[in-house]
Amino acid sequence: MGDVLVVQNSRSGGPARLGDWLAEAGHELDVVLAHDGAPLPDRLGHDAMIMLGGGYLPSDDDRAPWLADARRLVGQALAEEVPLLGICLGGQMIAEVAGGEVTGDTGAPENGSIPLTIRPEAAGDPLFRALPPVVPAVEHHKDAVTALPTGAVWLAETQACPYQAFRVGERAWGVQFHPEVLPARIREWRADGFDPHEVYARALADEPVSTPIWREVAMRFAALVTERASACTSPGPERAVSACTYPSPA
């Protein structure tokens, strides 16, 4: 099937169950521990990319020097319509690279399982179509997207942080929440002003509802990866040139 580049931006912020779901769909994950100094590729040659979260702003190069290369790969994915999913920091990076705005320490922070409202614009979206009107999702952030890129499709919102999910172009999604996280991970997070026991209990109660929904969204993303991988290996005129990545000319 396809291969997926996963950029990890913090020690504990791995792909978790999202990686398991993609593997279940037959895809191979190439997890790059960028936060630990592992180099990112010069060019995206994978069938898809996932940009994970981390405690940085998208252009926080002084604290996280690999972010410049991460933004470059996001820009390539957007330009070539490589299936792309950005989570938390990753979603903010997609917004910023595409011309939107991200603001640090803005609004009310969100932590734990929060009800998302799915917007009407999601009705025709490849990932968010036909979801329940309100869906629980795990949050852990104080930075946020504060202006969407021109032409982006706004898919989900909360009162505290409006831009919870959006699509740029046809194959790139940014989400502020963490579809990969199970309630146990919440116990590792520090969040001033929140009761950790209450936050964990609420997430545990919501998990039976949220897990099947985010698994379905992950499988829809996996189907796009399969579609691209198939297009890039089809012989003859059936091969979709615009859907494949080629090396830069020498």
Side-chain angles (χ1 to χ4, degrees):
M1 291 270 189
D3 60 330
V4 182
L5 176 65
V6 180
V7 180
Q8 186 167 327
N9 294 298
S10 68
R11 180 185 58 81
S12 58
R17 65 180 181 178
L18 180 58
D20 295 338
W21 290 331
L22 291 173
E24 180 184 336
H27 300 309
E28 295 185 7
L29 272 62
D30 178 10
V31 181
V32 176
L33 305 181
H35 69 284
D36 200 32
L40 290 169
D42 292 334
R43 181 166 177 78
L44 182 60
H46 300 68
D47 297 305
M49 181 166 69
I50 296 174
M51 187 66 62
L52 293 171
Y56 308 102
L57 290 166
S59 297
D60 215 350
D61 296 0
D62 290 342
R63 298 172 59 212
W66 68 88
L67 291 177
D69 283 336
R71 293 194 303 275
R72 172 177 52 77
L73 292 175
V74 165
Q76 182 194 337
L78 290 172
E80 298 179 3
E81 294 196 343
V82 179
L84 170 63
L85 177 62
I87 294 172
C88 199
L89 164 63
Q92 295 167 7
M93 190 180 296
I94 291 172
E96 185 169 290
V97 169
E101 295 180 3
V102 178
T103 304
D105 200 8
T106 184
E110 294 179 307
N111 191 54
S113 185
I114 306 291
L116 305 183
T117 299
I118 305 300
R119 291 176 56 85
E121 294 92 327
D125 184 75
L127 298 192
F128 282 77
R129 67 181 188 277
L131 297 187
V134 178
V135 180
V138 171
E139 306 267 3
H140 183 57
H141 73 100
K142 60 181 181 179
D143 308 329
V145 175
T146 47
L148 289 178
T150 300
V153 181
W154 186 9
L155 301 170
E157 62 186 329
T158 65
Q159 184 174 0
C161 178
Y163 302 124
Q164 287 288 338
F166 59 92
R167 188 182 78 247
V168 175
E170 297 300 319
R171 291 292 182 268
W173 288 266
V175 300
Q176 184 58 67
F177 55 92
H178 288 272
E180 83 282 14
V181 166
L182 282 165
R185 173 79 188 286
I186 292 173
R187 306 184 90 163
E188 303 172 13
W189 289 339
R190 289 187 57 190
D192 294 338
F194 293 89
D195 181 333
H197 301 292
E198 179 183 338
V199 168
Y200 173 71
R202 184 170 67 247
L204 200 62
D206 287 345
E207 191 271 333
V209 175
S210 62
T211 291
I213 293 169
W214 300 126
R215 182 184 182 280
E216 174 62 23
V217 169
M219 288 304 185
R220 291 173 179 178
F221 184 78
L224 297 178
V225 181
T226 299
E227 178 184 279
R228 180 180 175 85
S230 297
C232 290
T233 56
S234 297
E238 294 82 9
R239 183 181 174 108
V241 174
S242 63
C244 299
T245 300
Y246 298 96
S248 299

